[in-house]
Amino acid sequence: MKTEEELAPVMREALMAGYSLIDSAIIYRNEAVLGKVLNDAFRDPTLPVQRKDIFVTSKLPVHDALERFGLDYFDLFLLHWPGTAKKKLSDPVNRENRLGSYKALEKLLEEGKLKQIGVSNFTAAHLTDLLANTRIVPHVHQFELHPCLVQQDILDVCRTHHIQVQAYSSLGEGALLDADFVQPIASKLGVSPAQVLLRWAIQHGWAVIPKSKTPARVRQNSDLFSFELSPEDMQILDRVHETNTKRFCWDPSEIA
């Protein structure tokens, strides 16, 4: 859980650099502090930022999330995980709960408390089943996506149903910054390895949600449109997963 003292300078730098998407979740235990920092920013005359300028994402559970944030609505709300806490991966209640939870999001969307809804960490099978048993196609699917983990089956489902892909762990939790397939491209272009990895995702049409504890890196990571990866650079990064597949975060593949 982050304190206000930790979040405030990073958030201020992000807003000054033009960031507009704030990604959170109840499980991160920072929603109250984040909400205070945002609301303080909306009242700060040195920051020309209003609520309408900021896109706030959170993830289940929803019961008191808006109150914790001190906001009237969320721009995007996601099912964080296809499974259920304290249930076996094979328990059929996982499917029952995620379908029921998504239908609750559909209702909140219709009530105007949520502007868009989606899912996170779903496999292609989870996503296909959801599409067959609910009314509203998810607006966004957020999942781990980087050169070492290109989940083409999920990308194909998203493309078919016009679901916006949002990549997380684009830097492989930092492990990819020193990778031999990133460093030469970064050196050639005169940018950071993080910028290369984020730009790779953007050139594919995927949204990214980079994170950093350092204000300087926050600003650096916002500079993704002053350069472009060549087709050859893209091909190098696109083929990494063929021989070097690695997952750095949660694996939902065994959840029923």
Side-chain angles (χ1 to χ4, degrees):
M1 180 175 65
K2 298 293 184 183
T3 65
E4 183 177 350
E5 290 72 22
E6 291 173 304
L7 272 178
V10 176
M11 283 289 297
R12 182 179 178 83
E13 188 67 28
L15 294 172
M16 291 291 288
Y19 282 76
S20 59
L21 189 155
I22 307 297
D23 183 83
S24 187
I26 305 307
I27 196 172
Y28 301 162
R29 295 187 300 152
N30 65 356
E31 66 274 15
V33 173
L34 186 54
K36 183 178 186 306
V37 172
L38 275 176
N39 280 295
D40 286 348
F42 299 151
R43 293 188 291 268
D44 187 340
T46 67
L47 288 173
V49 177
Q50 301 177 43
R51 173 65 183 93
K52 65 182 179 61
D53 303 319
I54 303 299
F55 191 97
V56 180
T57 299
S58 192
K59 309 176 191 78
L60 277 176
V62 301
H63 55 89
D64 60 352
L66 283 169
E67 291 182 6
R68 286 173 182 262
F69 260 95
L71 301 176
D72 295 325
Y73 65 92
F74 283 118
D75 298 281
L76 173 65
F77 213 97
L78 309 177
L79 294 190
H80 202 169
W81 182 247
T84 302
K86 300 181 181 179
K87 295 293 181 182
K88 292 183 178 179
L89 299 180
S90 59
D91 195 325
V93 77
N94 289 313
R95 177 178 182 270
E96 178 184 337
N97 285 349
R98 68 175 169 265
L99 290 179
S101 295
Y102 190 81
K103 289 174 182 177
L105 294 190
E106 290 179 321
K107 185 173 184 295
L108 290 168
L109 178 70
E110 291 167 345
E111 292 174 354
K113 295 178 181 177
L114 310 176
K115 300 301 183 182
Q116 297 181 78
I117 59 176
V119 297
S120 181
N121 296 299
F122 276 41
T123 65
H126 295 146
L127 189 54
T128 300
D129 181 54
L130 184 83
L131 289 164
N133 291 281
T134 54
R135 296 180 294 109
I136 300 173
V137 175
H139 298 108
V140 172
H141 185 194
Q142 184 188 109
F143 56 97
E144 183 178 352
L145 181 56
H146 46 71
C148 288
L149 191 67
V150 178
Q151 303 182 77
Q152 192 60 51
D153 56 346
I154 301 177
L155 294 172
D156 289 343
V157 175
C158 290
R159 184 180 301 109
T160 297
H161 295 277
H162 306 290
I163 300 169
Q164 176 62 55
V165 170
Q166 188 174 67
Y168 79 72
S169 192
S170 296
L171 314 184
E173 300 300 285
L176 301 182
L177 297 178
D178 296 322
D180 58 9
F181 53 82
V182 175
Q183 286 281 349
I185 298 174
S187 296
K188 178 182 66 175
L189 294 173
V191 298
S192 71
Q195 287 172 295
V196 169
L197 291 164
L198 295 170
R199 180 68 196 185
W200 171 76
I202 285 175
Q203 286 187 213
H204 273 295
W206 308 325
V208 292
I209 45 174
K211 64 180 180 179
S212 176
K213 299 176 182 178
T214 308
R217 288 179 181 169
V218 167
R219 180 169 289 277
Q220 184 183 62
N221 288 345
S222 72
D223 181 16
L224 301 177
F225 301 98
S226 61
F227 69 98
E228 186 172 341
L229 301 181
S230 69
E232 294 74 23
D233 294 335
M234 290 294 290
Q235 186 176 49
I236 289 170
L237 296 173
D238 285 347
R239 300 190 64 179
V240 168
H241 74 281
E242 296 175 5
T243 56
N244 184 9
T245 297
K246 187 169 184 180
R247 185 187 296 273
F248 295 94
C249 301
W250 303 336
D251 184 356
S253 59
E254 299 300 320
I255 297 176

